[in-house]
Amino acid sequence: NAASLNGQGAHIVRFNAVNGRWEARVNASGEVKAFRAENLRPAGELIFEPGDKASIHGLKTEAGQHLNGSMCEVLRYLHDVSRYEVKVGNEIKALKGENLRACPD
């Protein structure tokens, strides 16, 4: 079943323009499966879910540095830009997964 693929590693084979899905070879089984883009994440990226709490770190721009150390709430994953939309106080920001650290509940 599809839920058994959650968290599994895979390598992208190709994009199928007919069905709009990415075909990827699952590392564990060698099978090629078709995935919607929203069900894929870059290897090694932490997976946050809406409602997760995180702390912000590693922002280097002058505009972003003041957010380092702040707590935020994950709202959703933005597939088109590979970033998480988070709420920091009253602001909404789009941050890379590498700039978020999971906080224990």
Side-chain angles (χ1 to χ4, degrees):
N1 78 32
S4 68
L5 296 173
N6 289 341
Q8 298 293 314
H11 287 86
I12 299 296
V13 175
R14 70 184 187 104
F15 180 74
N16 184 332
V18 174
N19 64 12
R21 294 180 183 227
W22 290 95
E23 294 179 3
R25 185 173 311 282
V26 179
N27 295 342
S29 68
E31 286 182 275
V32 174
K33 299 281 189 177
F35 298 92
R36 291 190 311 257
E38 59 266 24
N39 293 324
L40 298 172
R41 295 282 191 286
E45 181 175 297
L46 284 176
I47 298 176
F48 292 98
E49 297 292 334
D52 284 352
K53 305 293 186 226
S55 63
I56 299 170
H57 73 98
L59 297 178
K60 295 182 172 85
T61 65
E62 190 174 324
Q65 285 181 350
H66 77 281
L67 295 173
N68 289 330
S70 298
M71 299 298 296
C72 65
E73 178 183 351
V74 175
L75 301 176
R76 64 186 177 132
Y77 187 73
L78 303 170
H79 299 281
D80 57 336
V81 292
S82 299
R83 294 173 190 256
Y84 287 95
E85 183 175 75
V86 300
K87 185 174 183 179
V88 188
N90 292 323
E91 295 182 86
I92 304 295
K93 301 287 182 185
L95 301 176
K96 295 178 183 175
E98 67 195 43
N99 296 117
L100 299 173
R101 287 193 183 132
C103 292
D105 289 335

